[in-house]
Amino acid sequence: MLDSSHAVYRRFSTRGEPAIAAAAVTERTSEPPHLHVWRRLRELFGYHEIIVNLVRKELKVRYTASALGAVWSLLNPIVFLGVFSFVTRVLGNKIPSFPVYLLSGLLAWNLFSTTLLSGARSIIENAYLVKKVAFPREILPIASVGVGLFDFVLQSAVLFLFILVSRHGFRIQALVLYPLSLLTLLVFTMAVTFMASGLNVRYRDVQHLLNLWLLVWFWMTPIVYPGGLAQTADTSVFGISAFHLLLLNPMTAVALGFQRALYGSPQPPGAPRPVLPIVSVHWLVTLEGVVLAGSLLLLWLTWSTFFRLSGDFAEEI
């Protein structure tokens, strides 16, 4: 079985450099043949301090020798808001409060894409740990989600402040979509990250394919262009409307949830056509619930696959 949590924590402690370089043999795990979710969750909870330390370590490495540190995470949305506020005034963008609309979906997408890319490399980049220390391999992709969530929280604070200062305002009845969309996003991101990180150990092309696929995936999600445009478009593929095709993408439901919660009205005053799909908040809550249920099922499948592959990670890296 795995080393005890206390023993592994002593090795992982980031108060000093990880004291595993002197280990001379590869540690192998002896896992059960099948994943028992609740038992594994309790085991992972015992490693929560290690996960926090890994997140802290990744953030420290990112901002090493940086004068501004975590402020760089805040500058990204600030620059976006400034640039797009200027561009929309100069070019006369027909979407009112376009910076709010854009960042409402873009920040969610950034959490998903950056976590997926870093999580796919998490096992390989921590090969020295995987080879020398026995621990639940899941904590490495989980730590990637933690790093992405840290940036998301900081950047969302900038967006919330901008919404208040610009007097764009919130729609109280739609704010219920925000926590539901965030939960769905985290579950779906964790599910896809488990699969990508597990496969990338054996097939190194996965991390390169992800960069191309995420580019396509981004434009399949209504973030830059109005989601309401797809609903009103008279376009179909094999008899399926463009709007329903977009709904096959789980990230569409996530983006629409964040946009409705933060941007608000589907067709604000001054908009010549709907910016968001003209559907009720209840309809979006139902959609988020369906995607969340599907994401939980996907999480179980990908976690089981990751768990099955993890026993060979030390030999395959």
Side-chain angles (χ1 to χ4, degrees), residues 118-131 140-141 196-208 313 316-317:
S118 62
R121 302 188 304 268
S122 61
I123 305 297
I124 295 172
E125 291 181 349
N126 291 279
Y128 66 98
L129 291 176
V130 175
K131 289 182 177 181
L140 296 175
S197 59
L199 292 178
N200 193 50
V201 175
R202 183 170 298 180
Y203 308 106
R204 302 299 170 86
D205 290 333
V206 169
Q207 59 188 346
H208 303 295
F313 284 168
E316 292 181 349
I317 292 178

Side-chain angles (χ1 to χ4, degrees), residues 62 73 76-77 80 102-118 144-145 147-149 151-152 155-156 185 189 214 218 221 223 251 254-255 258:
R62 178 187 299 182
S73 293
N76 187 39
F80 261 99
L102 177 65
L103 282 187
S104 296
L106 188 61
L107 293 187
W109 174 264
N110 286 344
L111 170 60
F112 171 69
S113 60
T114 57
T115 296
L116 181 55
L117 289 173
S118 62
S144 297
V145 176
V147 174
L149 185 60
D151 286 338
F152 175 82
Q155 294 171 2
S156 294
L185 173 61
T189 301
L214 284 172
F218 176 77
T221 308
I223 295 174
M251 287 302 296
V254 171
F258 279 106

Side-chain angles (χ1 to χ4, degrees), residues 38-238:
W38 295 114
R39 184 188 307 170
R40 193 65 167 180
L41 284 174
R42 289 195 298 270
E43 187 176 355
L44 288 172
F45 182 77
Y47 288 81
H48 67 277
E49 291 186 60
I50 297 174
I51 296 174
V52 172
N53 279 335
L54 284 172
V55 172
R56 187 183 297 124
K57 168 180 161 291
E58 289 299 320
L59 293 171
K60 185 183 296 184
V61 168
R62 178 187 299 182
Y63 299 119
T64 297
S66 170
L68 296 180
V71 174
W72 286 111
S73 293
L74 299 174
L75 288 178
N76 187 39
I78 290 174
V79 171
F80 261 99
L81 289 169
V83 169
F84 281 100
S85 295
F86 175 77
V87 169
T88 51
R89 290 190 178 186
V90 172
L91 299 182
N93 191 296
K94 296 182 179 180
I95 300 179
S97 300
F98 181 68
V100 176
Y101 170 77
L102 177 65
L103 282 187
S104 296
L106 188 61
L107 293 187
W109 174 264
N110 286 344
L111 170 60
F112 171 69
S113 60
T114 57
T115 296
L116 181 55
L117 289 173
S118 62
R121 302 188 304 268
S122 61
I123 305 297
I124 295 172
E125 291 181 349
N126 291 279
Y128 66 98
L129 291 176
V130 175
K131 289 182 177 181
K132 305 301 182 183
V133 183
F135 64 95
R137 310 311 194 197
E138 295 97 317
I139 70 175
L140 296 175
I142 289 174
S144 297
V145 176
V147 174
L149 185 60
F150 176 84
D151 286 338
F152 175 82
V153 170
L154 291 182
Q155 294 171 2
S156 294
V158 174
L159 177 57
F160 291 151
L161 182 61
F162 180 82
I163 291 174
L164 293 174
V165 171
S166 65
R167 298 183 180 179
H168 179 79
F170 294 97
R171 307 299 185 272
I172 301 300
Q173 68 274 17
L175 283 178
V176 66
L177 286 165
Y178 189 87
L180 182 58
S181 299
L182 180 57
L183 176 61
T184 304
L185 173 61
L186 292 176
V187 173
F188 181 69
T189 301
M190 192 73 263
V192 181
T193 301
F194 270 146
M195 178 59 74
S197 59
L199 292 178
N200 193 50
V201 175
R202 183 170 298 180
Y203 308 106
R204 302 299 170 86
D205 290 333
V206 169
Q207 59 188 346
H208 303 295
L209 289 172
L210 279 176
N211 285 291
L212 297 177
W213 176 236
L214 284 172
L215 178 61
V216 176
W217 201 339
F218 176 77
W219 291 103
M220 292 169 57
T221 308
I223 295 174
V224 176
Y225 56 88
L229 183 64
Q231 187 184 37
T232 58
D234 187 19
T235 305
S236 63
V237 178
F238 301 114

